[in-house]
Amino acid sequence: MSIERWQTAWRQLIAPGAPFEVVTPDDGAPRYFRHAPRTLLQVIDAGRVHGDREFLIWQTQRLTFNQFFAQVDRLAEQMVAQFDLQPGERVAIAMRNQPAWLVAFAAIQQCGGVCVPLNSWGLRDELQHGLQDSGSRVLLCDEARFKTLAGDLRREQRATIVVGAREGVLPEYCLRFEDLISAPAAPFPARSIEPEQAALILYTSGTTSRAKGVESSHRAICQALFALDFQGAFCAMSSPERIGVVINSGYLPTILAAVPMFHVSGLHAQFLSALRGGRRLLLMYKWDVEHALDLIRDERCTQFNGAPVMMQQLLASPRFASEHTASLFGLGLGGGASSAGVLDNMLRLKPEVIGGAGYGLTESNGIGAAIGGDPFVYKPASAGWALPIVDIRIGDDPHQPQSAGARGLIWLRSPTLMSAYWNLPEATSHCLRDGWLDTGDIGYLDDEGFLTITGRVKELINRGGEKISAAEIETCILDMPGVLEAAAFAIADPLLGEVVGLAVHGQASSLPQGPQVCAFIAERLAAYKVPARVYRLLEPLPRNATGKVLKAHMQENLDA
């Protein structure tokens, strides 16, 4: 292994005239890829050349690229015909992974709309917040989400397209997805889209009590997708022996997608990358390790990307080291810190694997640093080098960066950054400063330029890849009678990485018991946000001079 050889390959890929040529603007703006698509319409239409090759597999459904685009075109035509959908209007999607989700996303882009994917694990209040906050004119949802929101949709008479609904049972403001995609073809005027127009609003948990909408432009997403392509090309050049094994295997590139599409890792790195690249995509409605292994075996999956908890379960199965995973050459980790044990197991059980990891945020469209192949074997605990269009600085101020090896706040600068938090100018200005993104994460760059993540400033709990706002849980439980104070925090967990801990303070006579606290939260927030452990405290929570709860001090006493 040779750092110099890897750096030479990197420079060749981004040089003038090269496929991934990087342009450095004279005005000091972030570097960008010259040959990246300009809009998501170009990204999506690039998939049309793959014709009758198989694209999507989900349960009993199998769609070729042509069949997928036939549904996309019909749905786009019908959304304009039925709802007079105009460019720039928001359209929400609330459903679990299935082909209709992908069809809906592509159709919304074809209409020039702004897609608003909602977290399908959310309960009624969370889904309704996303709908109302985004001002989505139309909702596409599955039957489960339709039932959850039925009262709100009826009251608001919100235009709704329901996937999988039985015929003849929908109210007048609803249409069946299956009816729309089987409607006769109609003329559809081409929509003109500019690169700086909004394409996507993804909701992300932050330190506030409500999820914030991350608004991204077509250009930002296209640059992000091209950065993923670059990482694939660099991995091939830096790990030729590993790539040779894959090519000689003869297996069709096939991705097992278990990550939800409402995350950038599912939407960008799996769906949109597979669509452009002509790769097969297997969708899992819900993660189940035994079912995942069945799909890998039966469909000859070559690539799996998942949160560390998913990878841990996969590697722990006795089936992983068997013929059942003979086709599996690519394993990607994302969504949370990986333990050394997971990485060691991966490389021990599959020494020829093309392992990889990366670092990015919803606010950066998943782009920051990346590592794969031989470099991953060299430094498996690292998040890799900053991608060619990304600047990473460490320290309290990006204009005064710390030296190599010094830990501090991570700042990112790239053309993939969000435009803003939707309708939240104050939060936007706090997070984006002079073109730099305050990630809220702590890490360091070593003397070879590799980034390592060591912690977080933000009060986010990372449960198996799902980010949970401590403030959201605290705000929720403070509505419960008998709870006077509350503090949510992360508890280390061997399987999920972190789970939710919650301390509640009140009077002995009225402070609810742990199971009651969990039941109260379970009625109002998604199941993954329910605390794994509740601590009842009769003493007030410790606070500093400004009134901020001293969570680290409190946790030390709880564990004592």
Side-chain angles (χ1 to χ4, degrees):
M1 297 180 189
S2 161
I3 290 275
E4 292 77 19
R5 182 166 61 81
W6 298 340
Q7 290 173 334
T8 299
W10 186 285
R11 287 192 295 269
Q12 288 173 345
L13 284 169
I14 66 172
F20 296 95
E21 178 182 348
V22 169
V23 177
T24 303
D26 294 332
D27 61 2
R31 299 182 301 280
Y32 63 90
F33 289 116
R34 183 184 296 279
H35 304 301
R38 288 169 49 82
T39 70
L40 279 177
L41 286 182
Q42 292 178 4
V43 168
I44 291 165
D45 282 344
R48 294 181 186 268
V49 301
H50 304 302
D52 288 324
R53 286 165 63 177
E54 192 167 58
F55 175 38
L56 289 178
I57 301 167
W58 180 72
Q59 298 182 357
T60 59
Q61 292 185 39
R62 301 181 90 94
L63 295 179
T64 65
F65 284 88
N66 280 342
Q67 290 168 331
F68 170 77
F69 280 108
Q71 293 190 13
V72 169
D73 294 343
R74 294 289 188 282
L75 183 60
E77 292 162 3
Q78 289 295 313
M79 284 199 293
V80 172
Q82 300 281 351
F83 308 120
D84 190 29
L85 191 65
Q86 296 298 311
E89 290 190 306
R90 275 82 61 207
V91 181
I93 303 176
M95 66 180 97
R96 298 294 278 269
N97 283 4
Q98 57 176 301
W101 200 111
L102 283 62
V103 169
F105 180 89
I108 292 164
Q109 299 303 330
Q110 201 153 300
C111 295
V114 180
C115 185
V116 184
L118 302 178
N119 187 326
S120 65
W121 295 3
L123 299 187
R124 178 242 160 198
D125 286 355
E126 297 159 289
L127 293 168
Q128 182 67 354
H129 165 68
L131 279 175
Q132 292 188 323
D133 182 66
S134 65
S136 292
R137 261 198 63 204
V138 180
L139 167 67
L140 290 105
C141 64
D142 55 19
E143 200 168 22
R145 261 41 63 177
F146 178 66
K147 288 177 180 174
T148 298
L149 291 165
D152 302 293
L153 298 174
R154 186 185 311 112
R155 184 181 67 254
E156 297 163 1
Q157 295 288 294
R158 192 185 301 275
T160 306
I161 298 169
V162 186
V163 177
R166 297 182 305 279
E167 293 194 51
V169 296
L170 293 177
E172 70 284 352
Y173 55 86
C174 296
L175 295 171
R176 289 179 74 248
F177 172 84
E178 292 76 11
D179 292 341
L180 298 184
I181 62 170
S182 59
F188 184 74
R191 295 291 167 93
S192 176
I193 303 292
E194 292 301 316
E196 300 306 327
Q197 284 179 229
L200 180 67
I201 298 174
L202 270 176
Y203 279 84
T204 183
S205 287
T207 52
T208 56
S209 61
R210 283 291 194 182
K212 300 191 287 288
V214 174
E215 179 188 350
S216 291
S217 68
H218 283 264
R219 180 175 185 262
I221 298 167
C222 289
Q223 287 287 321
L225 292 171
F226 216 65
L228 294 172
D229 289 351
F230 166 86
Q231 178 57 20
F234 173 66
C235 186
M237 288 185 71
S238 61
S239 314
E241 293 84 5
R242 293 175 188 275
I243 293 296
V245 172
V246 180
I247 293 170
N248 294 330
S249 74
Y251 293 114
L252 284 173
T254 301
I255 302 165
L256 177 61
V259 178
M261 290 297 152
F262 52 77
H263 285 321
V264 286
S265 51
L267 178 56
H268 295 10
Q270 298 188 35
F271 165 38
L272 291 173
S273 293
L275 181 64
R276 289 177 70 220
R279 295 188 285 276
R280 294 165 83 226
L281 193 62
L282 266 77
L283 300 174
M284 290 191 76
Y285 182 82
K286 182 180 180 182
W287 171 251
D288 175 85
V289 66
E290 290 303 316
H291 183 47
L293 285 160
D294 289 343
L295 289 171
I296 292 166
R297 175 197 64 200
D298 297 342
E299 298 292 347
R300 294 294 183 218
C301 296
T302 58
Q303 175 77 32
F304 172 73
N305 291 19
V309 62
M310 295 176 177
M311 198 67 71
Q312 197 168 345
Q313 292 175 355
L314 207 60
L315 296 172
S317 169
R319 298 171 62 190
F320 183 81
S322 74
E323 278 299 302
H324 292 191
T325 64
S327 61
L328 195 60
F329 295 104
L331 291 171
L333 287 160
S338 304
S339 72
V342 171
L343 304 173
D344 289 344
N345 274 343
M346 181 193 295
L347 297 171
R348 178 177 58 82
L349 293 168
K350 276 195 175 286
E352 293 179 332
V353 75
I354 304 166
Y359 170 71
L361 298 84
T362 304
E363 289 87 343
S364 69
N365 278 288
I367 298 303
I371 191 167
D374 288 349
F376 180 71
V377 175
Y378 176 60
K379 286 196 177 176
S382 149
W385 282 334
L387 285 154
I389 55 170
V390 179
D391 289 310
I392 295 179
R393 300 263 174 92
I394 307 293
D396 293 337
D397 183 342
H399 302 297
Q400 296 177 312
Q402 295 175 186
S403 56
R407 297 186 183 198
L409 179 63
I410 301 170
W411 297 82
L412 297 181
R413 182 174 180 264
S414 84
T416 72
L417 298 187
M418 67 174 181
S419 307
Y421 286 123
W422 177 253
N423 285 340
L424 292 171
E426 191 174 327
T428 302
S429 61
H430 180 76
C431 189
L432 285 177
R433 301 182 210 171
D434 299 326
W436 289 90
L437 175 71
D438 174 349
T439 67
D441 292 315
I442 301 294
Y444 64 90
L445 291 164
D446 66 20
D447 54 6
E448 292 177 323
F450 288 88
L451 175 70
T452 298
I453 314 300
T454 60
R456 283 193 306 280
V457 174
K458 295 179 181 178
E459 290 191 76
L460 284 177
I461 300 151
N462 188 345
R463 183 189 181 278
E466 287 294 331
K467 308 297 194 299
I468 302 167
S469 163
E472 182 179 25
I473 295 168
E474 292 161 0
T475 302
C476 174
I477 197 59
L478 285 172
D479 288 338
M480 187 176 191
V483 177
L484 302 178
E485 290 185 295
F489 46 85
I491 298 175
D493 181 85
L495 186 61
L496 294 163
E498 293 177 348
V499 292
V500 178
L502 178 64
V504 290
H505 161 63
Q507 302 298 320
S509 58
S510 55
L511 184 62
Q513 298 295 321
Q516 294 171 292
V517 168
C518 290
F520 184 90
I521 293 172
E523 289 178 2
R524 291 159 178 80
L525 299 178
Y528 67 90
K529 299 177 183 178
V530 176
R533 187 164 181 189
V534 175
Y535 302 86
R536 297 173 73 251
L537 303 179
L538 302 182
E539 297 293 323
L541 302 185
R543 295 178 183 271
N544 65 12
T546 63
K548 184 177 175 63
V549 175
L550 299 170
K551 292 189 180 181
H553 174 70
M554 180 190 70
Q555 282 179 260
E556 284 177 16
N557 291 333
L558 291 174
D559 295 333

